[in-house]
Amino acid sequence: MKSASDATMMLRTPFHSRVAAACELNAWGTWKGYTTPTAYTDVELEYFAIRSTAGVFDLSPMNKYRITGPDAEAYLNRLVTRDVSKIRAGRVGYTVWCNDAGQVMDDGTIFHLGENDYRVCAFARATDWLHWSALGFDVEVVDESDEVAALAVQGPTSCAALLAMGLVGLEQLKPFGLTMFPFEGGTLMVSRTGFTGDLGYELWIAADKAELLWDRLFEAGRPHLIKPFGSDALDMARIEAGFLQAGVDFVPAESAVRSGRSRSPYELGLGWLVDMDKPVFNGRKALLREQARGSRYRFAMLDVDGNKPASHSFILSGGKKVGTVTSAAWCPTAKTNVAFAQLEMPHGDVGQELVAEIYYQRELQWTRVMAPCRVIGAPVFNPPRRRAVPPGAF
Amino acid sequence: MKKYDAIVIGAGHNGLTNAAYLAKSGLDVAVLERNPYIGGATVSRELHRGWTYSNCSYVCSLLRPEIARDLELPRHGLQVVPYGGGVTFMRNGDYYGNYYDHNRQYREMARHSKRDANAYERYTTDVMKQTRLIRPYLLRRPPDPTSLKPRDLRDLLGFARSFMEMGEEGLADTLRFWTKSVGDYLNEYFETDAIKAHLGGTGVIGTALGVYSPGTAYVLLHHYMGDVDGNVGSWGFARGGMGAVAAALEKSFRAFGGEVICDADVDRIIVRHGKVRGVALKNGDEYLADIVVSNLDPRRTFLDVMDEGDLSAELLHRARNFKIRGSSGKLNIALDGLPSFHGLDKSSPLMVGDMHFTDSLERLERAYDDWKDGTWSKDPYVDMLIPTQTDPTMAPPGKHMMTVFVQYAPPKINGGEWTDADKAGFEKSVIDQIAAHSPDFRDLILHCETRTPREIEAETGLTEGNIFQGELTFDQLLFNRPFPGYSQYRGPVRGMYMCGSGTHPGGGVMAAPGANAAREILRDLRRPDVVPGGYADD
Amino acid sequence: MTDKLDVILIGAGHNGLVCANYLAKAGRKVLVLEAGDSPGGAAASREFAPGYSVSSCAQWLYQLHSGVSRDLDLERHGLQWAARELPSLLLDTRGRHLSLLGSRIDGEGVSDGDREAWRAFHARTGKYVKLLARVFESRPPNLVEAGLVDRLNLLKMGLGLKLLGRDDMSELMRIILTNMYDLAEEYFDNPQLKSLLGFDSVLGSRMGPRTPNTVFTYLYRRLGEAYGYNGVAQVKGGMGALAQALAASARARGVELRLGARVTSIDMFNGRAGGVSLASGEQFRAAVVVSGADPVTTYGTLVGLRNMETGMARRVSQIRCAGAAAKLHLALNAAPRFTGLDESQLGQRLVIAPDLNYLERAFNAVKYDEYSAAPALDISVPTINDPGGAPAGCHVLSAIVQFAPYEPAGGWEGPSTAAGATHREHFTRLILDKIAEYAPGIRDQVVACQLLTPQDIERDYGMRGGHWHHAEMSLDQVLMMRPFPGATQYGSGLDGLYLCGAGAHPGGGVMGLAGRNAAREIIRRGARA
């Protein structure tokens, strides 16, 4: 039994010794109580490592749940909006899950590891909900967040770096595929997934082999200009790639105190993840009703004029407030000023012209900009190398 | 003889708040206090040389920030310091700790159960939903549902609207929350006994109900709806003891020209021709005023200081049957040093907060069974704090003051009065429980003041020693507090008002009843409203 | 077989039979499937010893809705009364009993003050009972997504409240959530009267007289007054005879009733209930399925928690349905002799619950999964009014016993604190000891004895937890919260599935309103094959 006061309660990921050594800026934040770097050397340069060479991100604090047992597939199918039977063994699926009211609790990935064996990777903690969901199913739900360490290796040279580490045949792995390699008497799982919209992989390993993995990776990756990156650079990359983040772009449904603050998959632009052919899944009845009655909001990606990030801006149409910005960034690769917005229906058709009311500050002087912007239909960054098999030489 | 505009009976925090607002509006106001000192149950006393005891109320969270700011209490010396921590010691030598920080709290809970740690996030969300519903009504008078007056109808409509916004299931969940027992409510979230006990204790503090009694989930709210500087649900100490709250209120009142008269034991409210004329003291003195406000509990107000002939039979029946139900006692202890507790380091931040030794709902409920049987709990539930870890003013350096709130202690023992032997038995059951978890505790005791309901009543005038001036059960809440038809602070005769915790929104050092009553009085006098409304909770 | 069924109804309990009857009357083709060999569910008569039979679960009839009896023409279908308007007697060991029937109160120790107070109390609470009775005659209203029917019902409720007058209305709002202990203390002096009120308020519940909520359960108990009852009544032939009348009436309407047909699952088709499967392997399809089974069985066992959304499964698993009452049946070789009771009084409702604190202490035990060392009892000697249930000259004593846990530590057959005795034996002995304090010599008259614990009741009547009301009648589980939020107005929250049992509004008791209201709702929603 661990005592709570025997530690400082500052949690460290299994990579901490290596992360700390690399974190030259000494810029730390916390993620779920874990000490994690916001930046290692320079946010801009870290971002460009993702886009031009290979960046490494420690995502160990992510919540990982192992689902096993004869009903594992049926269980997951009832839990999430997607049809899990279509995620074959060796594949990974991105999905959302809702409460009964059809409101999104979180998004995440499902790893089909083998027969009746899955891992759910989630941003928000989900133990309670996963256990309630297990009523009536023959499954076992285990929180393995602390036992599994994970690194994201993202960018054009990521495949080359990993091949140099000896992961033979990795170039054949398709996007959203996963494969296993022996590693120091254990198993290294590699999935072709990520949160940057680029060619990239995620490595999953038992916590006790984490430091060794880091060392091997950086040793093999040096010629491929591999570099660690922190949460600030990741945020730029994910906005450029059009990825939502729980707690930022939507409020996880069961933590919303005020009524009307949560969102459905349709309202987050994730309706494509909802499979109404499944007879029962969480939120189905409410989502059918929403289909019939119409949604309240629409998620929109905006291309904002000028170079001032539209963080926390009001979005106006005809001088009237019709929405707010949840995430925004100047995207250096796409050279676009992107914002994610929650718009009231019926706004948000692709091509609609709107205005972002942006406030920014230079040397304590605040300036307001009414920046024209328009709704765009696809993320501004989506290179072919992200999908190519084999990914090719950079 | 001098005639005042208004007289307030009782210098408790609500009486002083009420008086301060009346004085602020320009009235000539006197507060009459039976004791030689002010504060009522919001009091600090030096009962052992060098030690300051908050010997009745002992923590401060509910005090409405709107009132503290408006009456300039900080300028008048009040400083409220939040504390973190909290711990329930378990029989198996482990403990469950309560941390201020969310992630730290999660880790500690996960040490006992990962599922509970995660469920706590949902629990917090759900309790906050209920808290948000009730908070806007703290600084308002409760609407009367039997009334057809526009003001009541408008208030009721507003109330209905906030309900409707919750949606059909949200509304049903709200009704369930109001009618459920805290035990059943917690069972819907948690699996770990110690966690349930730690959270459940607040559902019964100050009430003569058990954790399995329906309605106690709501009492939980009374301990969550306060805040210290906007951190909803957090708690603090008044620097210098709870008497600092009363002292600041008094200074504020005096700054508005008010007068506090101590050693003034009111015998009765003088009523002539259906109108209040003033009060008469036990020593024969009379003080005249057309407005008399009682900060006493409803039973004392109607059965002690009012004349039976001035009251209807119905009202007398109500007053006699108003549920007061003494249920708690208190030990105030001067310590030679900081005691150590099994399994916990003395430097642990957990010790700074509330400490308990009851590690299951069953033990909590069995403690209540003793109360029902007419005796004190043999295995009591205590809410124990050592404020001198946060506030250096209450004991000499290196020494400590410990306050132990004890549940349950009945107003009478098997139908008879408390005897000194009973009191000793009560004290022993508490000391034994603490000592079972703290090897050096007994040796550190320099002085111990033990207060059964008998002593609490004798000092503060709270009937049966009930800290809320009456049970917080649904039949005595909102428009039913203290009685149906009298919930809007007006008494049965013209010029007579109530401002104590026996009125809406009830007990705790909140000062809201006093302020709300002042608003109604000023309204009747057609004077401008100087009482602040609540901050918007958006 | 039966093609084109409109409705499959699971369980021929009284609510199921009433519901089927109304549906058939409206032209629906209804098949009722009953697991047992006789209709009635908890309204049953069984032989518990050779030659001795008894109403084995519910024993008195006191709130069967008058409209339902009339619509179903139960007397024409064989319902006969053995006795009506029976008073309740609160027994005293010295024979100084208190008798209560409606507003009439008799007993040696009753003061004029109490007599007057009782009359006033009875009249005032009688008004509340009437108001509640009206609320219970329609579906529980939605408040937010209120349709026209809901608005009308709410209006009627509001009007009913206002019509009480200001005093009675505010008194109702004051007391409705409170406990009987305090209310009785507030109104009366006589300990027997207070105790009898306390007993009526906790009968069949997992509550003590001090439990807030018991004023509501007390008013609920008195509902029958609005439906033409005064005191309790006894059905000739026992409750099984009532079941036979209900079944005969349903058959006469064209309802098909199959006995010995145990439904093992409610079958879902694309998220909609559309049929059932039997233990025999047979399957049936229908436009809608109606369940008279308790909610935990309906959702948990028959539908399966995996076939609904997580939030609903969580709600189902949180329904509180642990029973707290046991039933004792004694076969006696002669009429029992209770101190101070004559033969005519022996046929009345006999209550053992000396005072409120006794009752409260009896309740304490069940909170910790223990049985009461000194239990409270609701006794009937049905063979006084209806000699057919026992051999000539012999008698049956049937008693509801409170409080008994669903399962004590180690199980009912596990060892108790009494040397050599199982919990079952020990509890039986405690009950007999208690009865013997009032009827000395009863032990020598006992020929056979049967104790039904909540666990036995669960097994025999298919009620999860062994709770008569299918789910605790607590204020967080009534009205639109019965059986849980989201499954209200007899719709289960699952398409094609309806609820018509005691687990739905208004709740338990042989009243028939859950069945009738459900039928009306199903007809309103227009389900047909």
Side-chain angles (χ1 to χ4, degrees):
Chain A
M1 183 161 42
K2 277 184 282 184
S3 160
S5 60
D6 64 0
T8 60
M9 299 289 287
M10 290 285 283
L11 300 180
R12 288 160 175 192
T13 79
F15 298 108
H16 187 77
S17 62
R18 306 304 191 261
V19 169
C23 187
E24 294 174 19
L25 293 182
N26 205 23
W28 298 96
T30 58
W31 175 10
K32 260 179 66 185
Y34 284 87
T35 304
T36 50
T38 54
Y40 286 83
T41 50
D42 178 290
V43 177
E44 293 278 305
L45 298 184
E46 289 168 32
Y47 162 81
F48 277 108
I50 302 171
R51 291 292 181 240
S52 162
T53 59
V56 177
F57 182 78
D58 177 6
L59 48 87
S60 303
M62 287 290 282
N63 294 292
K64 287 140 282 181
Y65 302 96
R66 192 67 165 264
I67 316 291
T68 52
D71 285 345
E73 182 189 302
Y75 165 81
L76 288 168
N77 244 338
R78 199 276 299 262
L79 182 75
V80 306
T81 55
R82 272 186 73 161
D83 187 350
V84 176
S85 67
K86 290 181 183 158
I87 305 172
R88 285 173 286 113
R91 300 286 301 164
V92 184
Y94 171 68
T95 187
V96 292
W97 47 97
C98 298
N99 62 7
D100 288 24
Q103 303 295 294
V104 176
M105 299 180 70
D106 201 0
D107 63 343
T109 40
I110 295 178
F111 294 74
H112 192 167
L113 305 176
E115 199 188 342
N116 299 328
D117 190 2
Y118 294 84
R119 176 179 292 152
V120 174
C121 192
F123 183 79
R125 292 180 181 115
T127 317
D128 184 48
W129 185 250
L130 293 182
H131 275 100
W132 283 115
S133 298
L135 289 170
F137 290 95
D138 187 0
V139 288
E140 195 187 0
V141 178
V142 176
D143 181 346
E144 52 178 26
S145 304
D146 295 337
E147 286 74 44
V148 179
L151 288 179
V153 187
Q154 307 276 304
T157 66
S158 56
C159 184
L162 291 168
L163 286 171
M165 206 180 90
L167 305 186
V168 179
L170 186 69
E171 72 282 2
Q172 294 306 324
L173 189 65
K174 292 177 186 158
F176 288 101
L178 70 84
T179 181
M180 309 285 176
F181 295 95
F183 184 84
E184 293 297 323
T187 302
L188 170 67
M189 183 175 95
V190 182
S191 56
R192 189 166 164 187
T193 48
F195 204 48
T196 63
D198 212 317
L199 170 66
Y201 301 86
E202 287 170 329
L203 315 185
W204 310 83
I205 188 93
D208 61 350
K209 303 219 166 14
E211 289 171 337
L212 205 53
L213 174 66
W214 177 287
D215 294 344
R216 292 281 167 78
L217 176 65
F218 278 86
E219 195 184 316
R222 198 173 302 126
H224 303 281
L225 308 179
I226 201 165
K227 196 173 178 149
F229 66 95
S231 52
D232 288 354
L234 178 68
D235 204 44
M236 292 166 72
R238 66 114 189 153
I239 293 170
E240 197 171 36
F243 290 131
L244 301 182
Q245 190 176 338
V248 176
D249 297 303
F250 63 91
V251 183
E254 299 242 320
S255 60
V257 172
R258 294 153 184 83
S259 45
R261 301 293 164 93
S262 56
R263 296 288 181 266
S264 78
Y266 299 118
E267 291 168 341
L268 293 175
L270 298 173
W272 58 278
L273 290 171
V274 180
D275 188 342
M276 282 297 179
D277 291 339
K278 294 195 296 177
V280 184
F281 65 87
N282 291 332
R284 181 176 190 263
K285 289 185 63 146
L287 292 173
L288 280 171
R289 263 199 307 278
E290 184 180 330
Q291 281 185 336
R293 288 182 193 174
S295 304
R296 303 161 298 171
Y297 301 96
R298 178 143 56 178
F299 169 80
M301 273 182 275
L302 303 175
D303 180 348
V304 185
D305 283 4
N307 62 352
K308 305 290 179 295
S311 307
H312 314 300
S313 296
F314 287 123
I315 300 297
L316 313 176
S317 171
K320 203 175 137 274
K321 186 195 143 200
V322 297
T324 49
V325 169
T326 56
S327 288
W330 167 260
C331 299
T333 303
K335 301 295 180 223
T336 312
N337 192 20
V338 173
F340 295 172
Q342 280 287 316
L343 303 179
E344 291 164 18
M345 290 298 274
H347 299 280
D349 286 338
V350 172
Q352 187 185 3
E353 296 284 341
L354 297 157
V355 171
E357 185 177 340
I358 303 170
Y359 292 79
Y360 71 94
Q361 187 245 85
R362 293 288 181 272
E363 291 170 340
L364 297 184
Q365 180 175 298
W366 282 92
T367 309
R368 184 177 76 153
V369 181
M370 303 298 275
C373 54
R374 64 214 56 80
V375 179
I376 53 177
V380 294
F381 180 80
N382 191 5
R385 64 178 178 239
R386 179 184 178 185
R387 291 171 298 277
V389 184
F394 328 122
Chain B
M1 186 185 296
K2 178 174 176 188
K3 186 175 171 186
Y4 293 91
D5 292 328
I7 288 170
V8 178
I9 306 171
H13 64 276
N14 276 313
L16 290 168
T17 302
N18 183 267
Y21 277 111
L22 296 182
K24 187 184 177 191
S25 91
L27 298 180
D28 187 9
V29 187
V31 175
L32 304 180
E33 169 58 43
R34 185 188 63 157
N35 285 326
Y37 47 87
I38 62 155
T42 313
V43 68
S44 305
R45 298 186 66 196
E46 188 181 38
L47 298 176
H48 182 65
R49 231 177 120 80
W51 267 260
T52 304
Y53 287 180
S54 287
N55 67 341
C56 293
S57 63
Y58 52 99
V59 283
C60 187
S61 142
L62 298 169
L63 183 66
R64 301 313 307 151
E66 298 91 338
I67 295 170
R69 177 179 177 180
D70 193 65
L71 294 179
E72 298 187 275
L73 299 188
R75 189 168 72 80
H76 293 297
L78 177 64
Q79 193 181 344
V80 178
V81 188
Y83 64 83
V87 59
T88 290
F89 296 97
M90 294 158 65
R91 278 167 297 182
N92 66 5
D94 195 4
Y95 60 85
Y96 162 69
N98 192 47
Y99 290 93
Y100 217 52
D101 175 75
H102 177 82
N103 285 311
R104 222 168 168 187
Q105 172 71 19
Y106 175 87
R107 286 271 297 157
E108 168 63 0
M109 272 194 162
R111 197 167 67 79
H112 296 275
S113 158
K114 279 187 177 173
R115 191 171 172 183
D116 281 0
N118 187 209
Y120 185 67
E121 296 172 357
R122 179 166 60 95
Y123 167 83
T124 311
T125 303
D126 290 352
V127 172
M128 277 304 135
K129 283 181 190 168
Q130 300 305 328
T131 305
R132 278 177 46 77
L133 191 69
I134 197 73
R135 274 167 60 96
Y137 294 92
L138 296 178
L139 273 178
R140 284 194 216 168
R141 67 168 205 185
D144 179 355
T146 65
S147 157
L148 293 169
K149 289 194 194 118
R151 190 172 166 214
D152 285 308
L153 288 177
R154 198 180 54 228
D155 287 354
L156 275 173
L157 215 66
F159 205 48
R161 206 167 4 216
S162 47
F163 267 106
M164 297 303 242
E165 277 170 12
M166 309 184 96
E168 198 73 56
E169 277 200 49
L171 188 119
D173 277 331
T174 298
L175 293 176
R176 278 160 52 86
F177 181 82
W178 282 55
T179 51
K180 240 177 199 319
S181 76
V182 63
D184 286 334
Y185 189 68
L186 293 169
N187 280 333
E188 293 192 353
Y189 293 87
F190 304 106
E191 57 188 14
T192 308
D193 278 344
I195 291 176
K196 285 190 273 192
H198 189 89
L199 297 171
T202 48
V204 293
I205 282 186
T207 77
L209 292 170
V211 284
Y212 292 134
S213 301
T216 45
Y218 168 79
V219 183
L220 202 63
L221 223 53
H222 255 253
H223 298 267
Y224 275 101
M225 63 195 181
D227 59 63
V228 176
D229 299 326
N231 286 318
V232 175
S234 71
W235 287 81
F237 294 116
R239 198 165 191 270
M242 288 303 283
V245 176
L249 282 166
E250 187 201 14
K251 284 201 187 110
S252 176
F253 171 53
R254 285 190 193 275
F256 291 124
E259 193 180 337
V260 176
I261 303 165
C262 286
D263 292 308
D265 196 356
V266 172
D267 179 54
R268 64 195 163 85
I269 297 175
I270 305 164
V271 178
R272 293 228 178 82
H273 310 301
K275 280 193 206 163
V276 158
R277 282 286 167 259
V279 299
L281 302 193
K282 293 231 166 80
N283 65 11
D285 291 356
E286 289 192 359
Y287 290 88
L288 301 185
D290 287 343
I291 288 175
V292 171
V293 190
S294 173
N295 185 28
L296 310 179
D297 66 57
R299 222 185 284 168
R300 273 189 151 65
T301 299
F302 294 107
L303 303 180
D304 282 6
V305 299
M306 288 201 75
D307 196 88
E308 242 183 69
D310 295 326
L311 304 174
S312 69
E314 169 78 5
L315 187 58
L316 278 169
H317 175 81
R318 290 255 183 268
R320 288 198 185 103
N321 289 293
F322 183 71
K323 286 184 210 170
I324 295 243
R325 303 280 192 277
S327 59
S328 45
K330 188 117 192 278
L331 266 62
N332 298 300
I333 302 170
L335 294 170
D336 204 17
L338 194 62
S340 52
F341 291 93
H342 290 309
L344 200 61
D345 197 89
K346 267 193 193 184
S347 64
S348 169
L350 298 175
M351 271 183 71
V352 177
D354 48 317
M355 294 181 263
H356 317 272
F357 305 101
T358 307
D359 59 0
S360 73
L361 290 176
E362 178 173 334
R363 281 177 71 195
L364 262 164
E365 183 69 18
R366 286 190 189 270
Y368 172 56
D369 288 348
D370 287 337
W371 181 92
K372 289 196 297 187
D373 269 346
T375 178
W376 64 90
S377 305
K378 298 301 175 287
D379 177 22
Y381 168 74
V382 305
D383 186 29
M384 179 176 91
L385 291 117
I386 306 178
T388 39
Q389 296 172 96
T390 305
D391 179 355
T393 70
M394 299 179 76
K399 314 287 183 197
H400 287 278
M401 182 261 166
M402 179 190 259
T403 155
V404 192
F405 177 86
V406 188
Q407 196 104 353
Y408 296 80
K412 286 190 188 318
I413 298 298
N414 295 320
E417 298 300 329
W418 279 81
T419 63
D420 289 344
D422 293 331
K423 182 177 162 186
F426 167 72
E427 177 182 301
K428 183 177 182 307
S429 69
V430 178
I431 301 273
D432 284 353
Q433 191 187 57
I434 301 171
H437 293 267
S438 173
D440 55 357
F441 172 67
R442 266 182 227 278
D443 296 337
L444 290 170
I445 300 175
L446 298 173
H447 171 258
C448 173
E449 183 208 21
T450 298
R451 298 157 65 86
T452 71
R454 178 181 66 165
E455 284 79 23
I456 296 175
E457 173 161 3
E459 175 178 338
T460 63
L462 289 168
T463 301
E464 297 190 11
N466 180 300
I467 65 170
F468 295 143
Q469 283 200 350
E471 288 283 275
L472 293 174
T473 45
F474 188 79
D475 54 323
Q476 302 191 154
L477 281 178
L478 288 167
F479 48 83
N480 285 332
R481 193 167 188 88
F483 329 122
Y486 293 91
S487 65
Q488 296 176 342
Y489 309 97
R490 289 174 185 81
V493 294
R494 190 123 65 88
M496 191 263 166
Y497 295 85
M498 296 168 277
C499 75
S501 295
T503 60
H504 171 80
V509 182
M510 201 175 338
N516 289 345
R519 190 186 297 114
E520 295 305 311
I521 295 166
L522 295 177
R523 193 182 170 86
D524 288 353
L525 294 174
R526 299 179 196 287
R527 297 178 77 88
D529 181 7
V530 295
V531 183
Y535 291 144
D537 229 8
D538 51 5
Chain C
M1 72 130 288
T2 25
D3 55 342
K4 292 247 180 321
L5 279 172
D6 293 312
V7 178
I8 293 168
L9 200 149
I10 303 166
H14 70 277
N15 274 314
L17 290 170
V18 168
C19 183
N21 200 307
Y22 280 99
L23 288 171
K25 187 179 167 196
R28 301 298 194 277
K29 187 159 175 47
V30 186
L31 170 65
V32 177
L33 299 169
E34 165 59 42
D37 296 327
S38 59
S45 302
R46 291 192 186 178
E47 192 176 67
F48 70 98
Y52 293 86
S53 70
V54 69
S55 297
S56 49
C57 198
Q59 61 184 15
W60 302 111
L61 195 64
Y62 53 90
Q63 49 186 198
L64 181 63
H65 188 258
S66 40
V68 171
S69 312
R70 200 172 46 242
D71 290 345
L72 270 56
D73 212 351
L74 294 180
E75 301 205 2
R76 190 166 67 79
H77 290 287
L79 177 66
Q80 291 181 59
W81 303 100
R84 300 202 69 167
E85 304 216 358
L86 293 170
S88 297
L89 291 183
L90 190 91
L91 300 185
D92 175 81
T93 46
R94 295 150 304 170
R96 295 167 56 172
H97 311 301
L98 178 95
S99 167
L100 205 62
L101 179 66
S103 61
R104 223 184 73 207
I105 178 167
D106 292 304
E108 277 179 50
V110 182
S111 68
D112 288 345
D114 274 332
R115 207 178 296 279
E116 194 43 52
W118 169 246
R119 252 198 297 278
F121 179 87
H122 186 266
R124 181 175 242 183
T125 45
K127 289 195 210 172
Y128 303 154
V129 166
K130 285 207 179 67
L131 182 68
L132 270 186
R134 275 205 297 281
V135 172
F136 289 169
E137 284 173 348
S138 48
R139 70 181 194 190
N142 276 340
L143 296 178
V144 180
E145 293 150 25
L148 188 63
V149 181
D150 295 324
R151 293 212 186 101
L152 273 174
N153 285 342
L154 279 169
L155 207 67
K156 270 194 269 180
M157 265 159 92
L159 201 65
L161 263 176
K162 283 282 179 198
L163 283 178
L164 286 175
R166 198 178 168 134
D167 285 353
D168 283 346
M169 173 180 169
S170 66
E171 179 67 355
L172 176 63
M173 288 196 294
R174 182 179 76 92
I175 68 173
I176 189 67
L177 299 183
T178 63
N179 67 63
M180 188 42 99
Y181 189 107
D182 290 337
L183 193 65
E185 289 288 351
E186 188 176 322
Y187 275 86
F188 310 110
D189 291 324
N190 186 298
Q192 287 181 299
L193 174 59
K194 289 189 275 193
S195 193
L196 186 51
L197 296 179
F199 185 77
D200 278 352
S201 69
V202 302
L203 195 61
S205 298
R206 198 185 165 87
M207 299 178 196
R210 279 193 193 264
T211 307
N213 201 316
T214 41
V215 169
F216 171 78
T217 44
Y218 169 75
L219 296 176
Y220 190 85
R221 164 95 196 165
R222 273 182 53 188
L223 277 179
E225 288 171 24
Y227 307 141
Y229 289 81
N230 187 24
V232 297
Q234 188 185 333
V235 175
K236 192 163 165 40
M239 294 300 258
L242 170 67
Q244 293 298 344
L246 285 165
S249 173
R251 284 198 175 104
R253 286 254 201 252
V255 171
E256 187 184 345
L257 171 60
R258 282 233 209 159
L259 299 173
R262 180 177 293 279
V263 174
T264 51
S265 71
I266 294 171
D267 300 327
M268 309 293 285
F269 301 92
N270 195 25
R272 190 186 162 85
V276 299
S277 299
L278 302 191
S280 63
E282 253 182 302
Q283 292 188 321
F284 296 97
R285 300 284 299 263
V288 302
V289 177
V290 183
S291 175
D294 70 87
V296 178
T297 301
T298 302
Y299 290 89
T301 310
L302 301 179
V303 175
L305 294 180
R306 59 190 290 160
N307 292 317
M308 64 199 69
E309 300 183 18
T310 297
M312 183 183 280
R314 178 165 72 193
R315 296 249 193 229
V316 172
S317 71
Q318 290 174 338
I319 294 174
R320 278 173 293 113
C321 63
K327 190 88 192 289
L328 181 81
H329 300 138
L330 297 179
L332 305 174
N333 60 15
R337 284 179 300 275
F338 281 84
T339 310
L341 282 194
D342 60 36
E343 176 92 357
S344 73
Q345 288 174 309
L346 203 52
Q348 299 174 359
R349 175 173 179 247
L350 313 178
V351 174
I352 295 180
D355 61 67
L356 284 170
N357 289 328
Y358 174 99
L359 207 48
E360 187 67 29
R361 268 193 290 274
F363 164 63
N364 281 349
V366 80
K367 295 189 290 191
Y368 316 116
D369 290 332
E370 296 157 8
Y371 39 84
S372 314
L377 293 98
D378 178 340
I379 297 171
S380 92
V381 187
T383 40
I384 299 291
N385 302 317
D386 186 8
C394 298
H395 284 275
V396 167
L397 184 149
S398 160
I400 300 161
V401 189
Q402 282 187 236
F403 291 81
Y406 174 76
E407 188 175 33
W412 280 104
E413 312 310 327
S416 71
T417 50
T422 64
H423 282 306
R424 181 185 294 279
E425 288 160 352
H426 184 208
F427 190 40
T428 306
R429 194 185 307 158
L430 288 170
I431 303 165
L432 277 173
D433 287 350
K434 185 50 66 183
I435 298 174
E437 287 178 28
Y438 296 82
I442 191 142
R443 275 197 207 80
D444 302 332
Q445 300 176 317
V446 176
V447 181
C449 168
Q450 179 191 40
L451 177 73
L452 296 176
T453 68
Q455 221 169 30
D456 300 326
I457 293 170
E458 171 184 82
R459 183 197 58 227
D460 291 354
Y461 300 100
M463 301 191 287
R464 188 64 64 87
H467 200 301
W468 307 352
H469 295 311
H470 284 192
E472 187 67 39
M473 291 292 297
S474 53
L475 288 159
D476 60 326
Q477 296 191 152
V478 298
L479 288 168
M480 62 290 249
M481 295 161 287
R482 192 165 188 87
F484 55 82
T488 185
Q489 302 194 330
Y490 308 99
S492 61
L494 296 168
D495 292 336
L497 177 64
Y498 292 83
L499 305 176
C500 75
H505 174 79
V510 183
M511 198 182 315
L513 281 181
R516 189 193 72 169
N517 294 355
R520 288 183 175 174
E521 195 59 27
I522 294 162
I523 294 162
R524 185 179 292 132
R525 298 198 196 177
R528 270 185 191 278

